[in-house]
Amino acid sequence: MTLITDTISRAAITDSPLLATLAERWSPRAYDADAVIADDTLTTILEAARWAPSASNSQPARYIVARRGTESFTKIHDALIGFNQTWADSASVLIANVVDTTENTNPWSVYDVGQAVAHLSIQAQHDGIHTHQMGGFDAAALAQAFGLTETQTVISVIALGVLGNIDGLSPELLARESAPRTRKTLDELLLVND
Ligand SMILES: Cc1cc2nc3c(=O)[nH]c(=O)nc-3n(C[C@H](O)[C@H](O)[C@H](O)COP(=O)(O)O)c2cc1C
């Protein structure tokens, strides 16, 4: 049996029409291990993060950008939990998303990093690059590996890449890759909708 995991088959089935880029974004685990993201594409993706809003324009997000094959890529990959290591090695780029509270300690810094990564992921999707965010990593190991200061903390890691063949995935990964995409209903999310 051939399972199709292209962007069309994995697009969200939404109750209201969304921007195509939003509906088509999903988090693959099968990447083309030979694909390279062009530098200008990667720069554009990072530019989207740079122009994300932040509280008081404090811009607390920093990024450790690591292309596959570099020592930095290995350092980030080594800090992932085992499950994430099994698939993220095929990504073209791993980015460790850092909150830097050196200049301010407002309560929204982590929120701001998340928003910047959201913008990054949508720009990537628009440019034909898939992304997969991760919380499964050792933040202390990354801090040590990259010499982060006490006011710099890795909040998440995001894999960027080009969709690859799912044939090489383990049965566990294949099951996740082909499982239906689900969400709570909007009614469940709206505490108040007066
Ligand atoms: C902050 C964050 C942490 C995540 N951590 C992991 C992770 O460690 N491993 C993983 O395989 N997926 C991880 N994910 C991906 C989510 O499981 C995924 O976004 C969610 O199931 C919805 O699927 P979709 O992105 O395909 O719509 C994470 C996503 C976010 C936003």
Side-chain angles (χ1 to χ4, degrees):
M1 181 175 70
T2 302
L3 292 167
I4 300 169
T5 60
D6 60 25
T7 52
I8 297 167
S9 65
R10 299 297 285 166
I13 299 169
T14 63
D15 293 341
S16 303
L18 298 188
L19 293 174
T21 308
L22 288 173
E24 290 168 3
R25 185 218 56 82
W26 61 287
S27 302
R29 295 188 181 86
Y31 289 99
D32 180 346
D34 296 320
V36 173
I37 299 176
D39 277 346
D40 58 346
T41 302
L42 188 54
T43 299
T44 298
I45 290 167
L46 294 167
E47 184 73 352
R50 186 169 82 94
W51 278 99
S54 63
S56 304
N57 202 20
S58 53
Q59 304 170 68
R62 304 287 184 271
Y63 310 94
I64 299 169
V65 179
R67 293 160 178 79
R68 193 183 53 246
T70 64
E71 189 182 344
S72 295
F73 188 99
T74 303
K75 284 181 182 176
I76 297 178
H77 187 263
D78 284 352
L80 299 178
I81 60 167
F83 172 72
N84 288 333
Q85 284 186 356
T86 63
W87 59 265
D89 54 347
S90 298
S92 302
V93 173
L94 292 174
I95 301 177
N97 304 301
V98 176
V99 66
D100 188 328
T101 55
T102 311
E103 293 173 13
N104 76 79
T105 54
N106 78 47
W108 302 286
S109 295
V110 171
Y111 178 97
D112 290 339
V113 174
Q115 181 150 228
V117 175
H119 283 218
L120 179 159
S121 69
I122 296 305
Q123 182 68 47
Q125 181 71 34
H126 177 78
D127 292 339
I129 302 300
H130 281 76
T131 60
H132 195 136
Q133 299 181 52
M134 287 169 269
F137 62 88
D138 183 338
L142 281 175
Q144 187 172 21
F146 289 101
L148 299 185
T149 68
E150 283 186 1
T151 51
Q152 296 173 325
T153 305
V154 178
I155 297 300
S156 66
V157 173
I158 185 166
L160 292 83
V162 174
L163 278 185
N165 196 324
I166 60 173
D167 292 347
L169 292 180
S170 67
E172 184 195 0
L173 285 177
L174 194 55
R176 290 191 189 221
E177 208 75 348
S178 49
R181 299 187 59 217
T182 61
R183 288 297 189 268
K184 296 182 194 305
T185 66
L186 199 49
D187 280 347
E188 291 175 273
L189 304 183
L190 301 179
L191 298 179
V192 176
N193 186 22
D194 287 341

